[in-house]
Amino acid sequence: MNQTWTRYLPSFFRDKIEGRHQLQQAIGNTGWLFADRICKMAGTLLVSIWLTRYLGPERFGILSYATAFVLVFSSIASMGLDWVVVRNVVRDPSRRDEILGTTFALKLAGGATSICLAMAAIIILRPDDPSIWLMVGIIALGLAFQAFSTFDFWFQSQVQSKYAVYARSSAFLLICGTKIVLILLKAPLAAFALTATVEIVLGSAGLVAAYQANGHRLKTWRATRSMAGELLRDSWPLMLTDIVMLAYMRLDQVMLGEMAGNAEVGIYSVAVMLAEAWYFIPMVITSSIFPSVVEAREKGEEQFYDRLQRYYNLMAFLGYAVAIPVTFIAGWVMTFLFGDAYSAAGPMLTGLVWAGLFINLSIARSSYLTVMNWTRLHFITDLLGLAANVALNLYLIPRYGGMGAVLASLVAYWLVAHGSCFMFKPLFRTGVMMTRAMVYPKFW
């Protein structure tokens, strides 16, 4: 049976997907996720323009520093379970309640641990700065609610992300309105840090309501030691990988704050914000395509690698589609939107948006490594990226400030996604496939 939305498509495209029910479901699910992300991107941009102008580079830099610092520890809260849980539910739906219940319990423990570690680390790093302790503490509270992402995993496994969209978009819109009120009231910086945590709490409540509204009951969930062991055996390398990945994606802001000051962090963070606004595209596509990649692996190697090549092609195409136009307008956009105080962020945005090409491919390759259960290789390649990023930041930031951090990130992202594939024999084939995708990108 066709999806009802297909009737609104042009006839030539409708004919292409006629009878391909799995593809229709993936496209429909992707559409919901795109609607959610585009709504959030537009809302975030509008509110952030106002917020960055109100706070200025110095105070916005403090908020960005605290946020980046907490994100480095957020991988401990997620425990690397995301794609492992989705994969296991797709493979064995009969164990759904045991998988989800155990995941929820593990994530609660991970959230508590990550909060304690984040607070201990910031007190050691900034022993005489209680104001940054407060900022980090407020934002870190949101990590306790990482456990509620378990409900989203269920919707992803069923390719029914519209329910998660309802929940999170509602929370997002409420928080956008709250931020505007806070700006008008000239609220202190800590109030804006608190909105990030409140948004997670509201989104979590919405996910629970959506799950129950679809006829599912929490009382059927159960956590078992055997399932915890099974999940952790596959997820711990991914958790380490996520820790390393977020470290090389966020340590640049932390290191920039320590070596170049809060104002430079504020300017750099505006460029990061606009560059990463487009990262929702590969994440949305992966949420919809990943279950079909898992199924293709079960059906045979030829079908699996054909689908993987198409996946890489699409990711490269989307990377170029964003990077090329933004390159020509980056400088103008920064000055127009954020004012002269942030004009130096233009060249930074140009460099970071090209790093997005490698981010796209890295996300796709992560799906491949998860399906193959090559999680240790995933960790090793990300560790190489972290080492390169830290070394380059130490050399480049004192000389070039924010642009040094941009160059370090660009090299590190390439190394993780593409360069590292040619250092390990099992990854050589996928490295060639990514090279082909970059040379000849196409839309599926």
Side-chain angles (χ1 to χ4, degrees), residues 112-224:
T113 302
S114 61
I115 292 171
C116 294
L117 289 175
M119 291 308 301
I122 193 62
I123 290 171
I124 292 170
L125 188 63
R126 297 278 187 96
D128 301 318
D129 193 352
S131 62
I132 201 69
W133 300 355
L134 175 64
M135 296 290 291
V136 169
I138 291 171
I139 296 171
L141 283 175
L143 299 178
F145 294 87
Q146 281 271 10
F148 291 88
S149 62
T150 304
F151 297 93
D152 190 18
F153 301 158
W154 166 250
F155 291 125
Q156 287 183 40
S157 71
Q158 303 304 298
V159 200
Q160 294 179 349
S161 292
K162 64 180 180 180
Y163 300 109
V165 170
Y166 290 149
R168 288 177 171 157
S169 293
S170 299
F172 172 75
L173 291 173
L174 283 171
I175 293 302
C176 279
T178 301
K179 287 180 179 179
I180 292 172
V181 172
L182 291 174
I183 293 170
L184 293 174
L185 293 175
K186 300 187 183 301
L189 192 58
F192 295 99
L194 184 59
T195 59
T197 297
V198 174
E199 182 179 348
I200 296 172
V201 173
L202 293 175
S204 298
L207 285 170
V208 174
Y211 185 80
Q212 294 182 320
N214 277 270
H216 307 298
R217 293 292 175 264
L218 295 179
K219 64 182 180 182
T220 62
W221 285 16
R222 62 186 185 278
T224 65

Side-chain angles (χ1 to χ4, degrees), residues 1 12 29 39 67 92 115 142 146-147 196 199 258 286-287 290 293 306 309 348 387 423:
M1 182 176 177
F12 73 91
N29 188 70
C39 173
T67 302
D92 192 358
I115 292 171
Q146 281 271 10
E199 182 179 348
E258 296 300 321
T286 294
S287 295
F290 183 71
V293 174
D306 176 69
Q309 183 65 66
M348 298 181 193
M423 300 178 185

Side-chain angles (χ1 to χ4, degrees), residues 54-336:
Y54 165 65
L55 293 178
E58 181 75 20
R59 290 203 297 163
F60 184 67
I62 295 171
L63 180 61
S64 299
Y65 176 93
T67 302
F69 192 89
V70 171
L71 281 173
V72 171
F73 294 89
S74 64
S75 297
I76 299 171
S78 67
M79 301 193 74
L81 290 165
D82 298 23
W83 296 118
V84 172
V85 173
V86 175
R87 181 196 67 190
N88 287 6
V89 172
V90 170
R91 286 178 175 175
D92 192 358
S94 65
R95 302 179 72 189
R96 177 195 73 187
D97 293 331
E98 186 182 4
I99 294 171
L100 296 180
T102 305
T103 300
F104 189 83
L106 288 172
K107 278 179 163 284
L108 278 177
T113 302
S114 61
I115 292 171
C116 294
L117 289 175
M119 291 308 301
I122 193 62
I123 290 171
I124 292 170
L125 188 63
R126 297 278 187 96
D128 301 318
D129 193 352
S131 62
I132 201 69
W133 300 355
L134 175 64
M135 296 290 291
V136 169
I138 291 171
I139 296 171
L141 283 175
L143 299 178
F145 294 87
Q146 281 271 10
F148 291 88
S149 62
T150 304
F151 297 93
D152 190 18
F153 301 158
W154 166 250
F155 291 125
Q156 287 183 40
S157 71
Q158 303 304 298
V159 200
Q160 294 179 349
S161 292
K162 64 180 180 180
Y163 300 109
V165 170
Y166 290 149
R168 288 177 171 157
S169 293
S170 299
F172 172 75
L173 291 173
L174 283 171
I175 293 302
C176 279
T178 301
K179 287 180 179 179
I180 292 172
V181 172
L182 291 174
I183 293 170
L184 293 174
L185 293 175
K186 300 187 183 301
L189 192 58
F192 295 99
L194 184 59
T195 59
T197 297
V198 174
E199 182 179 348
I200 296 172
V201 173
L202 293 175
S204 298
L207 285 170
V208 174
Y211 185 80
Q212 294 182 320
N214 277 270
H216 307 298
R217 293 292 175 264
L218 295 179
K219 64 182 180 182
T220 62
W221 285 16
R222 62 186 185 278
T224 65
R225 288 187 178 183
S226 59
M227 178 55 68
E230 185 178 331
L231 290 173
L232 290 174
R233 272 195 300 273
D234 286 344
S235 73
W236 73 263
L238 288 174
M239 180 179 69
L240 293 177
T241 299
D242 287 345
I243 291 171
V244 171
M245 180 187 71
L246 278 175
Y248 78 71
M249 290 186 71
R250 290 291 176 250
L251 270 181
D252 49 0
Q253 287 169 285
V254 175
M255 294 177 72
L256 198 58
E258 296 300 321
M259 290 189 279
N262 292 327
E264 190 74 2
V265 176
I267 294 169
Y268 178 76
S269 296
V270 167
V272 170
M273 178 178 62
L274 285 190
E276 293 186 353
W278 304 100
Y279 291 1
F280 78 90
I281 297 176
M283 294 302 298
V284 163
I285 290 171
T286 294
S287 295
S288 297
I289 289 179
F290 183 71
S292 69
V293 174
V294 174
E295 292 175 3
R297 170 66 175 168
E298 303 297 323
K299 292 178 181 177
E301 186 172 295
E302 183 178 350
Q303 183 173 342
F304 174 60
Y305 281 103
D306 176 69
R307 186 159 297 177
L308 190 64
Q309 183 65 66
R310 291 171 180 268
Y311 190 11
Y312 288 147
N313 292 345
L314 176 60
M315 289 303 204
F317 176 87
L318 293 172
Y320 288 124
V322 171
I324 292 173
V326 171
T327 297
F328 293 102
I329 63 172
W332 173 83
V333 164
M334 282 299 179
T335 303
F336 177 76

Side-chain angles (χ1 to χ4, degrees), residues 390-423:
V390 170
L392 288 169
N393 275 325
L394 288 171
Y395 177 77
L396 295 171
I397 287 176
R399 291 165 174 77
Y400 306 108
M403 275 306 299
V406 170
L407 294 172
S409 295
L410 188 59
V411 173
Y413 294 164
W414 166 80
L415 179 62
V416 170
H418 185 242
S420 62
C421 290
F422 300 100
M423 300 178 185

Side-chain angles (χ1 to χ4, degrees), residues 364-388:
R365 198 199 63 172
S366 294
S367 298
Y368 168 67
L369 294 176
T370 301
V371 173
M372 301 296 290
N373 208 25
W374 290 348
T375 49
R376 290 170 181 79
L377 274 176
H378 199 170
F379 171 70
I380 292 169
T381 56
D382 276 7
L383 189 61
L384 286 173
L386 173 61

